[in-house]
Amino acid sequence: MASIRKASSISAGGNIVVLCYKAKPSFGISDEEFVYLKKQIEELKKKTIVFNRLSHQLLFVVADQKQDKYKRYETLRKGGNELAALLNGNKATSVLIVDETAEKENILSVSEGMALGSYQFIRHRKEKEKEKNSLHDILVYSSKVNEKDILELNAVIEATCAARDLVNEPVNVLNAEGLAESFQKMGKQVGFKVEVFNKQKIESLKMGGLLAVNKGSVDPPTFSVMEYKPANAKNKKPFVLVGKGLVYDTGGLSLKPTPNSMDSMKCDMAGGAVVGCTLFALAKAKIPVHVIGLVPSTDNRPGFNAFAPGDIITMHDGTTVEMLNSDAEGRMILADALSYAKKYEPRLVMEFSTLTGAAAAAIGANGVVMMGNADEKVKDKLMKSGSRVHERLVEFPFWEDYDELLKSDIADMKNIGGPYAGAITAGRFLVKFTNYPYIHFDIAGPAFINSKDGYRSKGGTGVGVRLLFDFFKGI
Ligand code: BES
Ligand code: MN
Ligand code: ZN
C-alpha cells in the first residue's frame, strides 16, 4: 500500500507533481512550456498535465480557486488518482508533491486520491508480485502540513483499504468467525479491545434474530464487541457503531433470483467492515473519542433447518417478529445488536448496513441514505463530513406513519413493510429496538461498485470509514 510522508527538501531527479493554481508555477517549467500548460488548463479543461523529462516525469495538478471547496477537494482526489495510474504505469516507486497553493487540504486531497487509487485486491492471483502497483512513497513538500495531518491521513487510508479487503474477500475465505478474527487482529495491531461472542454466548443472550438467520447455515454466528477508550476521550457517554456483518446473503429460503442479484452478496458485511475499520483508524491516529463497535455476523442460507417465512421469532429484547421474508435478514441481526447497545447508555448510535435494494434504487452508488431521530445539530455535522470527504448523505423521512406497514396480526411486528418506501420501513423496523439517539445509514448503493470510479476501487469501496473518521475528528 502506498503511504504518505513529509519531505524536508526537493530532491533532484525523481518524479515530481506540482500542485498549483492557474498562474505560472514557480517551479520546473520555462515560459514557453507555461504557454502549453495554460492551453491544457484553459482550453482543454485538463486538471492534470504531464511533462516527460526522460529521467523522470514532471506532473502538474491544478487547483481551481473558483470551485466550491468540497468540489475542489474531490477534483484533486480524482487528479491524484489519475497521476497515480500514470506513475504506476511507469513502474515509479515514489513521487514528490510540491505545494504551491494556500490551503493544506489541497495537497492532502491529491495524496489521498493517489493512495486510495493505487489500491488493488490481487492477493488471490498467482502473479500478484508482478501485478502489484509500484507506487509506495508519496512525499509531500508543504510547510502547512504537519505530522499529525500525515498520521491521520495514513490511518484513514489504511482503514479504508482494510474495509475494501474485508468486503472483497468472499465467504469461502471469510465467514463470520473469520470476520471476527480480522477484527481481533486489527485490535491487537493498533490498540482497541475486541471480544467475540460465540454461538453459546449468543444463545445465552437470547439474540433470537441473529440465531434465526443463522439456522440455515453450517457456520456458527459471531457477535463482535469492540471498544476504543483512550484516557483523554472528550465524550463521557460513548458513541456506539453498529454494523451489519452478513458475510453472504443468498436470501435464505426466500432465495434471491439468479443471475446478478446474488453475485455481489459477499458485500453484505460492508457495514461491519465500516465499524471495525473505523475503530482501527481512530485507534491508529489516537483520536480522543470513546467509541464502541458491535457487529453481529452470520451468513444467510437456505440450509435444511433454515428459518421459514411465517416463523415467529423472539428477539433479544423480547419483541416478537413474524418473519415473512427470509431475505429481510439484515434487520433481524441488527435489531439484536441495537437492543444490546442500550446497556451502554450511548450518546449516539450510528448503524451502517447494506440493508435494502430500495436505498440503492433510490440514489444509486453516489451517496448514502441516512435517516434517524438524533438532533439536527448532529445530522448537520454528519452531512458536512459527508460533503467534505465526498461520501455524501441524503436524508430520508423517518415519519412514524410508516410503522403502520410493519403491523402483524399475530406478532408484535412483521419484518417486511410493503412494495413502497422499502428503505424507510427497514429503518422504522430498527428504531423500535432503540431507546437512544439513533441514525441509520443504508450503504447498499455505494458499498460495492462494478467498475472503478476514480479513486473508488471496483468491488468494495470502504464507504463510511472516511465519513466517520472525519466526524469523530471534529468531536
Ligand atoms: N443485502 C440485501 C440488500 C442489498 C441489495 C445490498 C443490493 C446490496 C445491494 C438485503 O438483505 C435484502 O435482501 N433486502 C431486501 C429486503 C426486502 C426483502 C424487504 C431487498 O432490498 O430486496
Ligand atoms: Mn437479504
Ligand atoms: Zn442482506
Side-chain angles (χ1 to χ4, degrees):
M1 208 190 69
S3 65
I4 299 156
R5 276 188 289 136
K6 225 173 119 73
S8 47
S9 64
I10 303 179
S11 57
N15 297 303
I16 293 186
V17 171
V18 180
L19 165 61
C20 55
Y21 294 128
K22 287 182 182 173
K24 182 173 183 240
S26 70
F27 188 89
I29 52 168
S30 64
D31 288 345
E32 210 182 345
E33 285 173 324
F34 180 58
V35 175
Y36 168 79
L37 186 74
K38 217 174 148 143
K39 186 171 172 196
Q40 296 290 308
I41 298 170
E42 279 172 7
E43 282 176 35
L44 302 170
K45 306 280 174 222
K46 295 229 173 108
K47 292 281 191 300
T48 59
I49 300 102
V50 187
F51 288 83
N52 195 338
R53 296 293 198 231
L54 303 182
S55 68
H56 66 278
Q57 288 182 314
L58 179 63
L59 310 151
F60 289 86
V61 56
V62 185
D64 186 348
Q65 283 165 293
K66 288 204 194 101
Q67 226 175 7
D68 156 80
K69 69 175 176 184
Y70 294 153
K71 271 201 183 139
R72 176 175 10 109
Y73 302 160
E74 181 63 5
T75 308
L76 290 172
R77 282 183 210 107
K78 285 185 177 158
N81 170 65
E82 271 177 33
L83 297 173
L86 234 147
L87 291 160
N88 280 314
N90 284 325
K91 297 270 172 238
T93 54
S94 73
V95 64
L96 174 77
I97 314 174
V98 180
D99 191 6
E100 299 218 330
T101 71
E103 282 172 68
K104 69 178 174 186
E105 284 76 10
N106 292 336
I107 194 165
L108 294 173
S109 299
V110 173
S111 351
E112 184 176 34
M114 277 191 168
L116 288 174
S118 296
Y119 170 86
Q120 293 169 296
F121 185 69
I122 52 171
R123 61 167 68 142
H124 295 292
R125 286 170 78 91
K126 197 162 58 184
E127 304 283 352
K128 54 182 172 279
E129 283 311 315
K130 266 194 226 156
E131 292 173 21
K132 220 165 152 175
N133 278 334
S134 54
L135 189 62
H136 243 267
D137 298 308
I138 300 166
L139 298 161
V140 300
Y141 186 74
S142 164
S143 56
K144 297 172 286 294
V145 172
N146 59 41
E147 289 299 339
K148 185 164 163 270
D149 298 325
I150 302 276
L151 172 69
E152 291 177 356
L153 187 55
N154 278 322
V156 77
I157 289 166
E158 191 179 347
T160 301
C161 293
R164 290 174 177 184
D165 279 346
L166 289 174
V167 172
N168 288 332
E169 213 58 273
V171 67
N172 69 328
V173 177
L174 197 82
N175 59 12
E177 287 176 320
L179 182 65
E181 270 168 38
S182 304
F183 294 149
Q184 280 172 321
K185 271 192 205 142
M186 291 182 346
K188 270 210 189 98
Q189 195 190 327
V190 294
F192 62 88
K193 272 203 302 198
V194 182
E195 191 183 352
V196 179
F197 297 166
N198 62 15
K199 185 170 180 185
Q200 214 184 352
K201 173 84 181 177
I202 293 166
E203 280 167 350
S204 75
L205 289 168
K206 298 194 165 72
M207 293 186 164
L210 177 55
L211 290 164
V213 175
N214 182 251
K215 273 179 78 182
S217 173
V218 290
D219 292 339
T222 57
F223 188 93
S224 298
V225 180
M226 301 174 252
E227 181 168 29
Y228 169 58
K229 190 178 186 184
N232 59 348
K234 286 189 182 161
N235 54 321
K236 284 229 167 61
K237 287 166 122 196
F239 289 96
V240 176
L241 302 177
V242 174
K244 176 176 175 183
L246 216 293
V247 283
Y248 197 78
D249 186 10
T250 67
L253 286 176
S254 317
L255 196 65
K256 285 185 184 292
T258 38
N260 294 331
S261 63
M262 214 188 281
D263 303 1
S264 62
M265 279 304 137
K266 64 177 183 181
C267 81
D268 218 11
M269 35 54 71
V274 169
V275 171
C277 296
T278 299
L279 270 108
F280 177 91
L282 295 172
K284 179 134 194 175
K286 301 194 163 42
I287 306 296
V289 62
H290 179 198
V291 183
I292 287 162
L294 304 175
V295 180
S297 182
T298 175
D299 49 345
N300 180 26
R301 300 217 196 219
F304 290 127
N305 204 27
F307 69 95
D311 280 1
I312 296 175
I313 310 296
T314 304
M315 308 292 282
H316 171 254
D317 75 344
T319 303
T320 58
V321 175
E322 184 184 9
M323 282 197 74
L324 289 170
N325 188 325
S326 67
D327 201 10
E329 84 298 337
R331 62 197 76 182
M332 297 300 287
I333 73 169
L334 289 166
D336 284 347
L338 290 172
S339 54
Y340 186 80
K342 290 177 188 170
K343 72 176 212 173
Y344 299 107
E345 295 178 21
R347 164 157 156 195
L348 172 69
V349 175
M350 292 182 277
E351 166 265 312
F352 283 74
S353 49
T354 44
L355 201 61
T356 65
I363 66 164
N366 291 314
V368 172
V369 166
M370 171 189 99
M371 63 195 86
N373 57 22
D375 65 50
E376 293 302 316
K377 250 171 69 189
V378 172
K379 285 186 192 165
D380 284 350
K381 261 192 138 167
L382 282 161
M383 291 278 205
K384 203 158 183 193
S385 287
S387 300
R388 193 179 296 122
V389 305
H390 205 75
E391 295 187 349
R392 292 163 298 179
L393 304 176
V394 178
E395 187 173 5
F396 274 28
F398 207 49
W399 303 317
E400 282 170 19
D401 312 50
Y402 294 100
D403 297 357
E404 203 58 39
L405 298 166
L406 292 164
K407 281 196 172 147
S408 160
D409 294 332
I410 56 172
D412 299 327
M413 253 199 292
K414 296 189 291 185
N415 77 328
I416 47 168
Y420 303 116
I424 302 170
T425 49
R428 289 304 308 176
F429 178 90
L430 291 174
V431 77
K432 298 293 168 212
F433 298 86
T434 69
N435 67 355
Y436 40 68
Y438 167 62
I439 300 188
H440 162 59
F441 298 87
D442 195 329
I443 53 171
F448 194 93
I449 56 180
N450 293 320
S451 55
K452 186 168 156 81
D453 171 28
Y455 60 89
R456 292 202 294 170
S457 50
K458 174 178 173 163
T461 60
V463 68
V465 176
R466 293 171 56 246
L467 168 79
L468 283 176
F469 188 73
D470 189 83
F471 173 76
F472 285 126
K473 267 201 309 186
I475 292 300

PDB file of all heavy atoms in Angstrom, residues 244 246 248-249 256 265 268 300 327-330 354-355, ligand 3:
ATOM      1  N   LYS A 244     -23.787  -4.198   9.994  1.00  0.00           N
ATOM      2  CA  LYS A 244     -24.312  -5.479   9.504  1.00  0.00           C
ATOM      3  C   LYS A 244     -23.155  -6.350   9.004  1.00  0.00           C
ATOM      4  O   LYS A 244     -22.466  -5.988   8.065  1.00  0.00           O
ATOM      5  CB  LYS A 244     -25.313  -5.219   8.375  1.00  0.00           C
ATOM      6  CG  LYS A 244     -25.864  -6.472   7.694  1.00  0.00           C
ATOM      7  CD  LYS A 244     -26.939  -6.116   6.650  1.00  0.00           C
ATOM      8  CE  LYS A 244     -27.404  -7.342   5.879  1.00  0.00           C
ATOM      9  NZ  LYS A 244     -28.391  -7.015   4.826  1.00  0.00           N
ATOM     10  N   LEU A 246     -23.237  -9.466   7.620  1.00  0.00           N
ATOM     11  CA  LEU A 246     -23.824 -10.605   6.907  1.00  0.00           C
ATOM     12  C   LEU A 246     -22.813 -11.076   5.853  1.00  0.00           C
ATOM     13  O   LEU A 246     -22.708 -10.468   4.782  1.00  0.00           O
ATOM     14  CB  LEU A 246     -25.146 -10.134   6.273  1.00  0.00           C
ATOM     15  CG  LEU A 246     -26.326 -11.087   6.211  1.00  0.00           C
ATOM     16  CD1 LEU A 246     -26.059 -12.245   5.279  1.00  0.00           C
ATOM     17  CD2 LEU A 246     -26.758 -11.583   7.585  1.00  0.00           C
ATOM     18  N   TYR A 248     -22.564 -13.500   3.833  1.00  0.00           N
ATOM     19  CA  TYR A 248     -23.107 -13.808   2.496  1.00  0.00           C
ATOM     20  C   TYR A 248     -24.618 -13.907   2.567  1.00  0.00           C
ATOM     21  O   TYR A 248     -25.172 -14.569   3.441  1.00  0.00           O
ATOM     22  CB  TYR A 248     -22.536 -15.113   1.921  1.00  0.00           C
ATOM     23  CG  TYR A 248     -22.786 -15.178   0.428  1.00  0.00           C
ATOM     24  CD1 TYR A 248     -21.995 -14.456  -0.460  1.00  0.00           C
ATOM     25  CD2 TYR A 248     -23.858 -15.920  -0.093  1.00  0.00           C
ATOM     26  CE1 TYR A 248     -22.244 -14.471  -1.826  1.00  0.00           C
ATOM     27  CE2 TYR A 248     -24.102 -15.936  -1.466  1.00  0.00           C
ATOM     28  CZ  TYR A 248     -23.290 -15.218  -2.322  1.00  0.00           C
ATOM     29  OH  TYR A 248     -23.537 -15.214  -3.670  1.00  0.00           O
ATOM     30  N   ASP A 249     -25.283 -13.257   1.619  1.00  0.00           N
ATOM     31  CA  ASP A 249     -26.743 -13.220   1.625  1.00  0.00           C
ATOM     32  C   ASP A 249     -27.314 -13.912   0.387  1.00  0.00           C
ATOM     33  O   ASP A 249     -27.320 -13.350  -0.701  1.00  0.00           O
ATOM     34  CB  ASP A 249     -27.202 -11.753   1.671  1.00  0.00           C
ATOM     35  CG  ASP A 249     -28.713 -11.633   1.831  1.00  0.00           C
ATOM     36  OD1 ASP A 249     -29.367 -12.663   2.092  1.00  0.00           O
ATOM     37  OD2 ASP A 249     -29.231 -10.498   1.704  1.00  0.00           O
ATOM     38  N   LYS A 256     -32.680 -15.435  -3.389  1.00  0.00           N
ATOM     39  CA  LYS A 256     -32.550 -14.357  -4.376  1.00  0.00           C
ATOM     40  C   LYS A 256     -32.554 -14.976  -5.769  1.00  0.00           C
ATOM     41  O   LYS A 256     -31.936 -16.015  -5.973  1.00  0.00           O
ATOM     42  CB  LYS A 256     -31.237 -13.607  -4.168  1.00  0.00           C
ATOM     43  CG  LYS A 256     -31.250 -12.688  -2.962  1.00  0.00           C
ATOM     44  CD  LYS A 256     -29.968 -11.888  -2.887  1.00  0.00           C
ATOM     45  CE  LYS A 256     -29.934 -11.027  -1.633  1.00  0.00           C
ATOM     46  NZ  LYS A 256     -30.929  -9.940  -1.636  1.00  0.00           N
ATOM     47  N   MET A 265     -23.122 -10.562  -3.278  1.00  0.00           N
ATOM     48  CA  MET A 265     -23.629 -10.555  -1.891  1.00  0.00           C
ATOM     49  C   MET A 265     -22.595 -10.911  -0.825  1.00  0.00           C
ATOM     50  O   MET A 265     -22.894 -10.950   0.369  1.00  0.00           O
ATOM     51  CB  MET A 265     -24.877 -11.418  -1.770  1.00  0.00           C
ATOM     52  CG  MET A 265     -26.116 -10.674  -2.233  1.00  0.00           C
ATOM     53  SD  MET A 265     -26.316  -9.117  -1.326  1.00  0.00           S
ATOM     54  CE  MET A 265     -26.763  -8.006  -2.637  1.00  0.00           C
ATOM     55  N   ASP A 268     -22.255  -8.067   1.818  1.00  0.00           N
ATOM     56  CA  ASP A 268     -23.303  -7.749   2.792  1.00  0.00           C
ATOM     57  C   ASP A 268     -22.779  -7.574   4.220  1.00  0.00           C
ATOM     58  O   ASP A 268     -23.553  -7.360   5.149  1.00  0.00           O
ATOM     59  CB  ASP A 268     -24.392  -8.830   2.729  1.00  0.00           C
ATOM     60  CG  ASP A 268     -25.791  -8.252   2.890  1.00  0.00           C
ATOM     61  OD1 ASP A 268     -25.941  -7.023   2.832  1.00  0.00           O
ATOM     62  OD2 ASP A 268     -26.732  -9.053   3.099  1.00  0.00           O
ATOM     63  N   ASN A 300     -26.486 -15.997   5.398  1.00  0.00           N
ATOM     64  CA  ASN A 300     -27.930 -16.252   5.296  1.00  0.00           C
ATOM     65  C   ASN A 300     -28.134 -17.269   4.183  1.00  0.00           C
ATOM     66  O   ASN A 300     -27.945 -16.953   3.015  1.00  0.00           O
ATOM     67  CB  ASN A 300     -28.652 -14.934   4.973  1.00  0.00           C
ATOM     68  CG  ASN A 300     -30.168 -15.102   4.858  1.00  0.00           C
ATOM     69  OD1 ASN A 300     -30.755 -16.019   5.446  1.00  0.00           O
ATOM     70  ND2 ASN A 300     -30.795 -14.220   4.092  1.00  0.00           N
ATOM     71  N   ASP A 327     -35.252 -12.931   3.169  1.00  0.00           N
ATOM     72  CA  ASP A 327     -34.264 -12.039   2.561  1.00  0.00           C
ATOM     73  C   ASP A 327     -34.202 -10.688   3.286  1.00  0.00           C
ATOM     74  O   ASP A 327     -33.309  -9.887   3.038  1.00  0.00           O
ATOM     75  CB  ASP A 327     -34.592 -11.840   1.068  1.00  0.00           C
ATOM     76  CG  ASP A 327     -33.385 -11.384   0.261  1.00  0.00           C
ATOM     77  OD1 ASP A 327     -32.263 -11.409   0.811  1.00  0.00           O
ATOM     78  OD2 ASP A 327     -33.571 -11.008  -0.906  1.00  0.00           O
ATOM     79  N   ALA A 328     -35.152 -10.446   4.179  1.00  0.00           N
ATOM     80  CA  ALA A 328     -35.059  -9.235   5.011  1.00  0.00           C
ATOM     81  C   ALA A 328     -34.389  -9.654   6.317  1.00  0.00           C
ATOM     82  O   ALA A 328     -34.963  -9.549   7.413  1.00  0.00           O
ATOM     83  CB  ALA A 328     -36.437  -8.639   5.243  1.00  0.00           C
ATOM     84  N   GLU A 329     -33.171 -10.168   6.187  1.00  0.00           N
ATOM     85  CA  GLU A 329     -32.448 -10.765   7.314  1.00  0.00           C
ATOM     86  C   GLU A 329     -31.598  -9.746   8.068  1.00  0.00           C
ATOM     87  O   GLU A 329     -31.355  -9.907   9.257  1.00  0.00           O
ATOM     88  CB  GLU A 329     -31.568 -11.925   6.815  1.00  0.00           C
ATOM     89  CG  GLU A 329     -30.181 -11.523   6.260  1.00  0.00           C
ATOM     90  CD  GLU A 329     -30.222 -10.624   5.038  1.00  0.00           C
ATOM     91  OE1 GLU A 329     -31.246 -10.638   4.331  1.00  0.00           O
ATOM     92  OE2 GLU A 329     -29.249  -9.880   4.797  1.00  0.00           O
ATOM     93  N   GLY A 330     -31.165  -8.709   7.338  1.00  0.00           N
ATOM     94  CA  GLY A 330     -30.246  -7.745   7.952  1.00  0.00           C
ATOM     95  C   GLY A 330     -30.863  -7.111   9.187  1.00  0.00           C
ATOM     96  O   GLY A 330     -30.234  -7.033  10.249  1.00  0.00           O
ATOM     97  N   THR A 354     -25.733  -2.629   4.500  1.00  0.00           N
ATOM     98  CA  THR A 354     -26.209  -2.796   3.128  1.00  0.00           C
ATOM     99  C   THR A 354     -27.603  -3.401   3.274  1.00  0.00           C
ATOM    100  O   THR A 354     -27.791  -4.596   3.113  1.00  0.00           O
ATOM    101  CB  THR A 354     -25.284  -3.766   2.372  1.00  0.00           C
ATOM    102  OG1 THR A 354     -25.000  -4.885   3.231  1.00  0.00           O
ATOM    103  CG2 THR A 354     -23.975  -3.105   1.956  1.00  0.00           C
ATOM    104  N   LEU A 355     -28.560  -2.539   3.605  1.00  0.00           N
ATOM    105  CA  LEU A 355     -29.830  -3.078   4.106  1.00  0.00           C
ATOM    106  C   LEU A 355     -30.892  -3.314   3.034  1.00  0.00           C
ATOM    107  O   LEU A 355     -31.584  -4.321   3.075  1.00  0.00           O
ATOM    108  CB  LEU A 355     -30.380  -2.169   5.217  1.00  0.00           C
ATOM    109  CG  LEU A 355     -31.379  -2.862   6.149  1.00  0.00           C
ATOM    110  CD1 LEU A 355     -30.746  -4.041   6.868  1.00  0.00           C
ATOM    111  CD2 LEU A 355     -31.962  -1.896   7.158  1.00  0.00           C
TER     112      LEU A 355
HETATM  113 ZN    ZN B   3     -28.687  -8.747   3.241  1.00  0.00          ZN
END
